[in-house]
Amino acid sequence: MQSRTPVGRAGRPRSAAADTAILAATRQALVELGWSKLTLGDVATRAGVAKTTLYRRWAGKNELVVDAVAELFAELELPDRGSLAADIEGVVLQFAAILALPEARSGLMAVVAESTRDEALRARIRASIVEPQKHLVLEGRTRAQTRGELPPETDPDSSARTAELIFDVIAGAVVHRALVSSEPVDMDWSRDFTRLLLNGLTSPPTT
Amino acid sequence: MQSRTPVGRAGRPRSAAADTAILAATRQALVELGWSKLTLGDVATRAGVAKTTLYRRWAGKNELVVDAVAELFAELELPDRGSLAADIEGVVLQFAAILALPEARSGLMAVVAESTRDEALRARIRASIVEPQKHLVLEGRTRAQTRGELPPETDPDSSARTAELIFDVIAGAVVHRALVSSEPVDMDWSRDFTRLLLNGLTSPPTT
Amino acid sequence: MQSRTPVGRAGRPRSAAADTAILAATRQALVELGWSKLTLGDVATRAGVAKTTLYRRWAGKNELVVDAVAELFAELELPDRGSLAADIEGVVLQFAAILALPEARSGLMAVVAESTRDEALRARIRASIVEPQKHLVLEGRTRAQTRGELPPETDPDSSARTAELIFDVIAGAVVHRALVSSEPVDMDWSRDFTRLLLNGLTSPPTT
Amino acid sequence: MQSRTPVGRAGRPRSAAADTAILAATRQALVELGWSKLTLGDVATRAGVAKTTLYRRWAGKNELVVDAVAELFAELELPDRGSLAADIEGVVLQFAAILALPEARSGLMAVVAESTRDEALRARIRASIVEPQKHLVLEGRTRAQTRGELPPETDPDSSARTAELIFDVIAGAVVHRALVSSEPVDMDWSRDFTRLLLNGLTSPPTT
DNA sequence: CTTTAACCGAGACGGTACGTCGCGTCTTGTA
DNA sequence: TACAAGACGCGACGTACCGTCTCGGTTAAAG
């Protein structure tokens, strides 16, 4: 009757626990059902939450799955294994381990597919999942330069372009091997791939 | 493609025109609506065909879209441009041109996503879309060996493994650049990528 | 592919049994739940029918309940009990018996309430429920005139107006007694009411 | 009307203005939306009040609307127009005028419909809306007896029964004419009805 | 040149999920 | 203790597609 909202917050605050429960439930549903049979009603039930609560926080299935999958990739890091080749092999295997998780396989490609017609979704995927991994390439290069395995950068523009290129090559090759060719990304493949990346086609493999 | 009226059977044969019309309608719907909003009822209407006719020939949306998209990739070939580098750049640009088509972008990734939980679908995608392109790698290598740009094969096992690896690297990198990073696969990128593939990281680009 | 719809009917015809089952299920739900807790989903389940089938045939809850209730009133008739007074008493008791059914009580008033803001619904109620009963008044009057209990009509306009008036008085009084005052419409009340209707207030009851 | 802060209670007292604002908002919403589309959240907003405040005072939509509608009928009275017939015609027209208000039409029948399955609601309607009007019948009869238009009462039981009967006949007929037959309750109809009520069917109208 | 079996269009059917809306309750901070 | 604000669990809404099932009508190869 008198009102006058004095400052920022009014009303009951959103439950922080709900977010956690919903994202976990989403991953569980991805494992059991896969992307296309996952329903938001089912996720809500698993999370012990009402469907409306879910819709209040995410615009739809796509956005929800992006967030759920992003948490899986957040743990990637670049351990120092002593040489550039060993560092690359290590990160390739880590990446492959994540792609072996059903919740990642099913969810990741589906949102990428959806993003071909939705610029906002594409941006969200890049911001939440892809960009945060690019530091791996930059760190790896800096470390290799420190070791003297790679020459220092001269042209900053070329430097950035090359980093992007390497990222696309590594990420693309691993994803294609794992999800399209459907063959294992194991230590053998990782070694072959790394040798190709470092030496190129014209320096023949020395198997 | 998938049906063919059984031999020596009485009764009215299936309309051949229907197959063509349905696949064309599917691609048109992919362009206008994208995978997730494409409905089989709508495809049937566009094709001037009853829903039953469609279901008599395809098991579902996934199988239909695989066939519709496969026809897009069937036209890829390896023109002889005089050098291994030029051949690779050429095929990369051709591949990118197909991935620029909305019906390919939207459909391809979606069926790959679905295939993460459906072995039969995965096999169908490989048989219809992926495997037919591998000859590009084999032809390119043979041609390069003839030219003396690459040494001849010694170990047949290593030879096959390397071909698979190169295929995953090329296809994966282009797809990742085009659909995930969402950056253009143009002549510049194609040249950078080919140089990396041929020379490797440790032979620095000479831009 | 060839088509040319030759004549009237195409496609699978609607199930006649479904209509019957749906209306019966509606009345059962009215008995158990009442108007406001009746849901179309529940009616569909009771009828062993999909919700879509129900919506294909009725625009909404209102229209459905009108049809379901109309069948209850369809059985009203005017038995010849020998005198105008006896005839009126008989029809009043019949009417009251229907209003004693929970499915009639709950449904009838609710759709009348809804109809106060929906001209189409109001017309449907009149056409399906109300108008079909007016012949009771006309038959009763004709019969009474034949018996010499009432004078023959002179002015056709006045005749119609009076019939409408009598209908409103009888129907209104019984409904009000049963549903608003919530008192029994039994033989005593029926007799009192009939005496008032025939003799008026100024000819005092001779109880 | 229904609440009243308990005596001798600590804490902030309930706002009296809120009750008024809520009931007015309810009537306004009945006019604009009708019973079935009226929502308590909307009423609260219109009244400038939180939903909790509303629920603290009324159990639900039914109770709220009964109170809102009751205020409309509270103003009915029996002006002395000189004769029994004129008095009846006057009260009939007054009653009809209220039933012409959208907030009364829509609200009244709806709560009556709801009351068919809710004894407490039925009692509330009678206590708040119906019973307070019965004095009109009693006053009218007394006045007519004073004038000599009607004989004095002899049997108190019969007297009460007749008053109830007349009330049901008048209220029922007017409601049926206005809401079901959906015809105007104007001076002509009022005169016809009054003549029938006073003289009965067998004393033919002298139009 | 007729069978006759499979085809075809249309569209109704039993389902499932959608995304929204209102309910009545609760949890905040402020008065 | 009341109050405004608004999140919450719940359940129904009406719609859209799914994949299946009648229908009546057609069409080409087999008899």
Side-chain angles (χ1 to χ4, degrees), chain D residues 81-125:
Chain D
R81 297 164 134 232
S83 74
L84 176 55
D87 287 1
I88 294 175
E89 286 176 31
V91 88
V92 158
L93 290 174
Q94 269 189 69
F95 188 29
I98 294 174
L99 285 181
L101 299 172
E103 60 269 41
R105 301 165 74 84
S106 189
L108 180 63
M109 298 309 281
V111 293
V112 168
E114 289 297 300
S115 79
T116 58
R117 298 187 50 87
D118 181 345
E119 174 53 41
L121 181 62
R122 196 155 53 231
R124 186 176 189 129
I125 292 172

Coordinates of all heavy atoms in Angstrom, one line a residue, chain D residues 81-125:
Chain D
R81 N -44.9 2.7 -4.2 CA -45.5 3.3 -5.4 C -47.0 3.2 -5.4 O -47.6 3.4 -6.5 CB -44.9 2.5 -6.6 CG -43.4 2.6 -6.8 CD -42.9 1.6 -7.7 NE -41.9 2.1 -8.7 CZ -42.0 2.0 -10.0 NH1 -43.0 1.3 -10.5 NH2 -41.1 2.5 -10.8
G82 N -47.6 2.9 -4.3 CA -49.0 3.1 -4.2 C -49.9 1.8 -4.4 O -51.0 1.8 -3.9
S83 N -49.4 0.8 -5.1 CA -50.2 -0.4 -5.2 C -49.2 -1.6 -5.2 O -48.0 -1.5 -5.5 CB -51.0 -0.4 -6.5 OG -50.1 -0.6 -7.6
L84 N -49.7 -2.8 -5.0 CA -48.9 -4.0 -5.0 C -48.3 -4.2 -6.3 O -47.1 -4.4 -6.5 CB -49.7 -5.2 -4.6 CG -49.0 -6.5 -4.6 CD1 -47.8 -6.5 -3.8 CD2 -50.0 -7.6 -4.1
A85 N -49.1 -4.0 -7.4 CA -48.6 -4.2 -8.7 C -47.4 -3.3 -9.0 O -46.4 -3.7 -9.5 CB -49.7 -4.1 -9.7
A86 N -47.6 -2.0 -8.7 CA -46.6 -1.0 -8.9 C -45.3 -1.3 -8.1 O -44.2 -1.2 -8.6 CB -47.1 0.4 -8.6
D87 N -45.5 -1.8 -6.9 CA -44.3 -2.1 -6.1 C -43.6 -3.3 -6.7 O -42.3 -3.2 -6.8 CB -44.8 -2.5 -4.7 CG -45.2 -1.3 -3.8 OD1 -45.2 -0.2 -4.4 OD2 -45.6 -1.5 -2.7
I88 N -44.3 -4.3 -7.1 CA -43.6 -5.4 -7.8 C -42.9 -5.0 -9.0 O -41.7 -5.3 -9.2 CB -44.6 -6.6 -8.1 CG1 -45.2 -7.1 -6.8 CG2 -43.9 -7.7 -8.9 CD1 -46.3 -8.2 -7.0
E89 N -43.6 -4.3 -9.9 CA -42.9 -3.8 -11.1 C -41.7 -3.0 -10.8 O -40.6 -3.2 -11.4 CB -43.9 -3.0 -11.9 CG -45.0 -3.8 -12.6 CD -46.0 -2.9 -13.3 OE1 -45.6 -1.8 -13.8 OE2 -47.1 -3.3 -13.4
G90 N -41.7 -2.2 -9.8 CA -40.6 -1.4 -9.4 C -39.4 -2.2 -9.0 O -38.2 -2.0 -9.4
V91 N -39.6 -3.2 -8.2 CA -38.5 -4.0 -7.6 C -38.0 -4.9 -8.7 O -36.8 -5.2 -8.8 CB -39.0 -4.8 -6.4 CG1 -39.6 -6.1 -6.7 CG2 -37.8 -4.9 -5.4
V92 N -38.8 -5.4 -9.6 CA -38.4 -6.2 -10.7 C -37.4 -5.3 -11.6 O -36.3 -5.8 -12.0 CB -39.6 -6.7 -11.6 CG1 -39.1 -7.0 -13.0 CG2 -40.2 -7.9 -10.9
L93 N -37.8 -4.1 -11.9 CA -36.9 -3.3 -12.7 C -35.6 -3.0 -12.0 O -34.5 -2.9 -12.6 CB -37.6 -2.0 -13.1 CG -38.8 -2.2 -14.1 CD1 -39.6 -1.0 -14.3 CD2 -38.2 -2.8 -15.4
Q94 N -35.7 -2.7 -10.7 CA -34.4 -2.5 -10.0 C -33.5 -3.7 -10.0 O -32.3 -3.6 -10.3 CB -34.8 -2.2 -8.5 CG -35.0 -0.8 -8.1 CD -35.1 -0.7 -6.6 OE1 -34.1 -0.9 -5.8 NE2 -36.3 -0.4 -6.1
F95 N -34.1 -4.8 -9.8 CA -33.3 -6.1 -9.8 C -32.7 -6.3 -11.2 O -31.5 -6.6 -11.4 CB -34.2 -7.3 -9.5 CG -33.5 -8.6 -9.3 CD1 -32.2 -8.6 -8.9 CD2 -34.2 -9.8 -9.6 CE1 -31.6 -9.8 -8.7 CE2 -33.6 -11.0 -9.4 CZ -32.3 -11.0 -8.9
A96 N -33.5 -6.0 -12.3 CA -33.0 -6.2 -13.6 C -31.9 -5.2 -13.9 O -30.9 -5.5 -14.6 CB -34.1 -6.0 -14.6
A97 N -31.9 -4.0 -13.3 CA -30.9 -3.0 -13.6 C -29.5 -3.5 -13.0 O -28.5 -3.3 -13.6 CB -31.3 -1.7 -12.9
I98 N -29.6 -4.2 -11.9 CA -28.4 -4.7 -11.3 C -27.8 -5.9 -12.2 O -26.6 -6.0 -12.5 CB -28.6 -5.2 -9.9 CG1 -28.9 -4.0 -9.0 CG2 -27.4 -5.9 -9.3 CD1 -29.3 -4.4 -7.6
L99 N -28.8 -6.7 -12.6 CA -28.4 -7.8 -13.5 C -27.8 -7.4 -14.8 O -27.2 -8.2 -15.5 CB -29.5 -8.8 -13.7 CG -29.9 -9.7 -12.5 CD1 -31.0 -10.6 -12.9 CD2 -28.6 -10.5 -12.0
A100 N -28.1 -6.1 -15.2 CA -27.5 -5.6 -16.4 C -26.1 -5.2 -16.3 O -25.4 -5.1 -17.3 CB -28.4 -4.4 -16.9
L101 N -25.6 -5.1 -15.0 CA -24.2 -4.7 -14.8 C -23.3 -6.0 -15.1 O -23.6 -7.1 -14.6 CB -24.0 -4.3 -13.4 CG -24.7 -3.1 -12.9 CD1 -24.5 -3.0 -11.4 CD2 -24.3 -1.9 -13.6
P102 N -22.3 -5.8 -15.9 CA -21.5 -7.0 -16.3 C -20.8 -7.6 -15.1 O -20.7 -8.8 -15.0 CB -20.4 -6.3 -17.2 CG -20.9 -5.0 -17.6 CD -21.9 -4.6 -16.6
E103 N -20.4 -6.8 -14.1 CA -19.8 -7.4 -12.9 C -20.8 -8.3 -12.1 O -20.4 -9.3 -11.5 CB -19.2 -6.3 -12.0 CG -20.2 -5.3 -11.5 CD -20.3 -4.1 -12.4 OE1 -20.3 -4.3 -13.6 OE2 -20.4 -3.0 -11.8
A104 N -22.1 -8.0 -12.2 CA -23.1 -8.8 -11.5 C -23.4 -10.0 -12.3 O -23.4 -11.1 -11.8 CB -24.3 -8.0 -11.2
R105 N -23.7 -9.9 -13.6 CA -24.0 -11.0 -14.4 C -23.0 -12.1 -14.3 O -23.3 -13.3 -14.1 CB -24.1 -10.6 -15.9 CG -25.0 -9.5 -16.3 CD -24.7 -8.9 -17.7 NE -25.1 -9.8 -18.7 CZ -26.3 -9.9 -19.3 NH1 -27.2 -9.1 -18.8 NH2 -26.6 -10.7 -20.2
S106 N -21.7 -11.7 -14.6 CA -20.7 -12.6 -14.7 C -20.3 -13.3 -13.3 O -20.2 -14.5 -13.2 CB -19.4 -11.9 -15.2 OG -18.4 -12.8 -15.5
G107 N -20.3 -12.4 -12.3 CA -19.9 -12.9 -11.0 C -21.0 -13.8 -10.3 O -20.7 -14.8 -9.8
L108 N -22.2 -13.3 -10.4 CA -23.3 -14.0 -9.6 C -23.5 -15.4 -10.1 O -23.4 -16.4 -9.3 CB -24.6 -13.2 -9.8 CG -25.8 -13.8 -9.0 CD1 -25.5 -13.8 -7.5 CD2 -27.1 -13.1 -9.4
M109 N -23.7 -15.6 -11.4 CA -24.0 -17.0 -11.8 C -22.8 -17.9 -11.6 O -22.9 -19.1 -11.3 CB -24.3 -17.0 -13.3 CG -25.6 -16.2 -13.6 SD -27.0 -16.7 -12.6 CE -27.5 -18.2 -13.4
A110 N -21.6 -17.4 -11.7 CA -20.4 -18.2 -11.5 C -20.3 -18.7 -10.1 O -20.1 -19.9 -9.9 CB -19.1 -17.4 -11.9
V111 N -20.5 -17.8 -9.1 CA -20.4 -18.3 -7.7 C -21.6 -19.3 -7.4 O -21.4 -20.2 -6.7 CB -20.3 -17.2 -6.7 CG1 -19.0 -16.4 -6.9 CG2 -21.5 -16.3 -6.8
V112 N -22.8 -19.0 -8.0 CA -23.9 -20.0 -7.8 C -23.5 -21.3 -8.4 O -23.7 -22.4 -7.8 CB -25.2 -19.5 -8.5 CG1 -26.2 -20.6 -8.5 CG2 -25.7 -18.3 -7.7
A113 N -22.8 -21.3 -9.6 CA -22.4 -22.6 -10.2 C -21.4 -23.3 -9.2 O -21.5 -24.5 -9.0 CB -21.8 -22.3 -11.5
E114 N -20.4 -22.5 -8.7 CA -19.4 -23.1 -7.8 C -20.1 -23.7 -6.6 O -19.7 -24.7 -6.1 CB -18.4 -22.1 -7.4 CG -17.5 -21.7 -8.6 CD -16.6 -22.8 -9.0 OE1 -15.9 -23.4 -8.2 OE2 -16.7 -23.2 -10.2
S115 N -21.1 -23.0 -6.2 CA -21.8 -23.4 -4.9 C -22.5 -24.7 -5.0 O -22.9 -25.3 -3.9 CB -22.8 -22.3 -4.4 OG -24.0 -22.4 -5.2
T116 N -22.7 -25.2 -6.2 CA -23.4 -26.5 -6.3 C -22.6 -27.6 -5.7 O -23.1 -28.7 -5.5 CB -23.7 -26.9 -7.7 OG1 -22.5 -26.9 -8.5 CG2 -24.7 -25.8 -8.3
R117 N -21.3 -27.4 -5.5 CA -20.4 -28.4 -4.9 C -19.7 -28.0 -3.7 O -18.7 -28.6 -3.2 CB -19.4 -28.9 -5.9 CG -20.0 -29.5 -7.2 CD -18.9 -30.0 -8.1 NE -18.0 -30.9 -7.3 CZ -18.2 -32.2 -7.1 NH1 -19.2 -32.8 -7.6 NH2 -17.3 -32.9 -6.4
D118 N -20.2 -26.9 -3.1 CA -19.5 -26.3 -1.9 C -20.6 -25.7 -1.0 O -21.0 -24.6 -1.1 CB -18.6 -25.3 -2.4 CG -17.7 -24.6 -1.3 OD1 -18.1 -24.8 -0.1 OD2 -16.7 -24.0 -1.6
E119 N -20.9 -26.5 0.0 CA -22.0 -26.1 1.0 C -21.7 -24.8 1.7 O -22.5 -23.9 1.8 CB -22.2 -27.2 2.0 CG -23.2 -26.9 3.1 CD -24.5 -26.4 2.5 OE1 -25.0 -26.9 1.5 OE2 -25.0 -25.4 3.1
A120 N -20.4 -24.6 2.1 CA -20.0 -23.4 2.8 C -20.2 -22.2 1.9 O -20.7 -21.1 2.3 CB -18.6 -23.5 3.2
L121 N -19.8 -22.4 0.6 CA -20.0 -21.2 -0.3 C -21.5 -20.9 -0.5 O -21.9 -19.8 -0.6 CB -19.3 -21.6 -1.7 CG -19.4 -20.5 -2.7 CD1 -18.7 -19.3 -2.2 CD2 -18.8 -21.0 -4.0
R122 N -22.3 -22.0 -0.6 CA -23.7 -21.8 -0.8 C -24.3 -21.0 0.4 O -25.1 -20.1 0.2 CB -24.4 -23.2 -0.9 CG -25.8 -23.1 -1.4 CD -26.2 -24.5 -2.1 NE -26.0 -25.6 -1.2 CZ -25.4 -26.7 -1.6 NH1 -24.8 -26.8 -2.8 NH2 -25.3 -27.7 -0.7
A123 N -23.8 -21.4 1.6 CA -24.3 -20.7 2.8 C -23.9 -19.2 2.7 O -24.6 -18.3 3.1 CB -23.8 -21.3 4.0
R124 N -22.6 -19.0 2.3 CA -22.1 -17.6 2.2 C -22.9 -16.8 1.3 O -23.2 -15.6 1.5 CB -20.7 -17.7 1.8 CG -20.0 -16.3 1.9 CD -18.5 -16.5 1.6 NE -17.8 -15.2 1.8 CZ -16.7 -15.1 2.6 NH1 -16.2 -16.2 3.1 NH2 -16.1 -14.0 2.8
I125 N -23.2 -17.4 0.1 CA -24.0 -16.7 -0.9 C -25.4 -16.3 -0.3 O -25.9 -15.2 -0.4 CB -24.2 -17.5 -2.2 CG1 -22.8 -17.7 -2.9 CG2 -25.2 -16.9 -3.1 CD1 -22.9 -18.7 -4.0

